[in-house]
Amino acid sequence: MCHPLRVSSSSSKAKVVVVGSLNIDQVCRVEELPHPGATVRASGYQTHRGGKGANQAISAQRQGCETLLIGSIGDDEAGRSYREHLKESEDIDVSAISLSPFPTGSAFITVEEDTGENTIVIAGGANDTLSRSDVAECRRAIQSAKALLAQLEVPITTVVEAIRLANECKVPVVLNPSPMSFTFPWDDVKIDHAIVNHSEATELLEIQPELTDIEYITQEINVRNIETFIITRGSDTTLVYTAGGDFYEVEPLPVLPIDTVGAGDAFAGCYAAHIAQGSTVEDAVRAANCAGALTTLGGGAQHPVPDRDRVEQHVVQIPKRRQAPRQV
């Protein structure tokens, strides 16, 4: 049963509601990612807690927000332990994480040792049981939030219900439409901030986005009711487009990555937190670039996610906008 966030109305913390998945990540490290039909030997194997919803909630919480996670997890030892960990170790409000008769979701991750690049296969399990009614019970919590953050590792109808409620309550929506789905009903909801990586942008826009595609991308994000469209590109600049035709780049934080698993989730959670706290889009992206980069310096999707102090120590290395916005 969902209830409003535990924080009192006098708290100075901004509130973020996250709708998303919780998984147990099973990670193999290999010298080279296998090609179709190939079998390779792993040099190492580990199990971590993950899932885009939980990863992003942890990132938002560590940036100083009061965070509620709406999700579903197996009514098994792994699921109950996971929920207790989020409550006790991360101080996340878990009152809207329901226990399902289905097993806790799993992610099977292969990481290339030299580059940190990865492939991921998801088995939804309990995540697939998260329903529209689960979200509807949390209307008061969504109404009191400063941002709603969602991804697509839970049923799309559930995500759409959460976005619809946020739209009605005039709460900014941050959507990370991953894994990409061509069935997402962009016409039915308003997305204030959409975050995709370069390959997801290529799927969504049906082109490989280049810096010369401003007019086309502006047109496409308007068709999809997106106000701000952000494309992350790893060690390259992050691209920011607006429905009004503005475009600019934000420099990354230079690092030598060990493991890129969870970097995108750290980015999304940090970005949503800074939007909830009143930052400009540019400053939120600068902070999120730091969070994503710093996360690649450790193993697993959650443990290396930086806190606010660490992000603030590094964000000074990322320059402000290097050129005025271009108009279409």
Side-chain angles (χ1 to χ4, degrees):
M1 186 71 173
C2 187
H3 59 70
L5 300 176
R6 291 169 293 153
V7 65
S8 70
S9 59
S10 62
S11 172
S12 61
K13 288 187 176 182
K15 304 175 186 178
V16 174
V17 173
V18 181
V19 180
S21 58
L22 302 95
N23 291 327
I24 302 300
D25 292 348
Q26 301 179 55
V27 184
C28 289
R29 301 187 71 85
V30 298
E31 289 186 2
E32 185 176 356
L33 294 177
H35 302 293
T39 300
V40 299
R41 182 179 294 275
S43 60
Y45 170 79
Q46 292 180 313
T47 299
H48 303 283
R49 297 182 178 98
K52 295 185 76 64
N55 297 346
Q56 293 181 10
I58 286 171
S59 181
Q61 183 78 11
R62 290 184 185 175
Q63 291 304 303
C65 285
E66 185 73 17
T67 307
L68 169 74
L69 176 57
I70 304 173
S72 181
I73 205 161
D75 189 7
D76 48 35
E77 183 178 353
R80 291 190 296 271
S81 174
Y82 196 168
R83 191 169 70 165
E84 186 68 11
H85 167 76
L86 291 173
K87 178 182 178 181
E88 298 300 328
S89 299
E90 299 293 345
D91 199 29
I92 288 172
D93 187 339
V94 300
S95 62
I97 300 177
S98 59
L99 293 176
S100 168
F102 289 84
T104 299
S106 295
F108 303 88
I109 303 170
T110 306
V111 180
E112 191 170 76
E113 289 181 330
D114 288 344
T115 65
E117 291 300 323
N118 64 81
T119 62
I120 304 175
V121 176
I122 299 293
N127 293 309
D128 294 339
T129 69
L130 189 66
S131 68
R132 295 175 61 189
S133 61
D134 292 327
V135 167
E137 290 180 0
C138 295
R139 180 186 180 94
R140 288 181 61 193
I142 293 172
Q143 187 175 21
S144 67
K146 295 298 184 182
L148 175 84
L149 173 58
Q151 332 76 35
L152 301 183
E153 283 187 348
V154 296
I156 288 179
T157 54
T158 303
V159 174
V160 171
E161 177 68 10
I163 295 172
R164 185 186 64 79
L165 288 174
N167 288 167
E168 288 181 4
C169 298
K170 301 188 185 312
V171 173
V173 172
V174 181
L175 177 65
N176 171 214
S178 179
M180 187 60 62
S181 172
F182 291 106
T183 65
F184 187 83
W186 298 98
D187 291 343
D188 296 342
V189 290
K190 177 182 180 294
I191 308 299
D192 299 278
H193 310 266
I195 301 169
V196 295
N197 61 31
H198 194 264
S199 63
E200 291 163 347
T202 300
E203 286 188 74
L204 182 62
L205 302 171
E206 299 181 349
I207 62 165
Q208 289 196 14
E210 304 292 344
L211 302 186
T212 55
D213 295 326
I214 302 168
E215 184 173 357
Y216 174 79
I217 293 174
T218 300
Q219 172 185 311
E220 292 300 305
I221 66 176
N222 273 283
V223 167
R224 291 169 177 79
N225 293 324
I226 299 170
E227 182 62 33
T228 300
F229 187 64
I230 297 166
I231 304 177
T232 62
R233 302 191 299 165
S235 61
D236 208 343
T237 56
T238 299
L239 309 181
V240 181
Y241 302 83
T242 74
D246 291 348
F247 164 76
Y248 54 94
E249 303 169 68
V250 179
E251 297 288 339
L253 180 71
V255 296
L256 294 175
I258 295 173
D259 183 348
T260 60
V261 172
D265 294 335
F267 181 103
C270 179
Y271 179 86
H274 283 258
I275 290 298
Q277 292 162 343
S279 295
T280 65
V281 167
E282 181 184 359
D283 284 344
V285 172
R286 290 171 69 238
N289 275 356
C290 287
L294 293 169
T295 299
T296 70
L297 300 180
Q302 295 180 358
H303 177 71
V305 174
D307 61 16
R308 187 178 184 90
D309 287 344
R310 191 160 178 231
V311 166
E312 289 183 346
Q313 288 170 7
H314 289 82
V315 76
V316 293
Q317 299 178 45
I318 299 181
K320 292 277 192 175
R321 191 179 307 186
R322 63 189 186 189
Q323 62 184 37
R326 288 181 251 176
Q327 297 289 336
V328 172

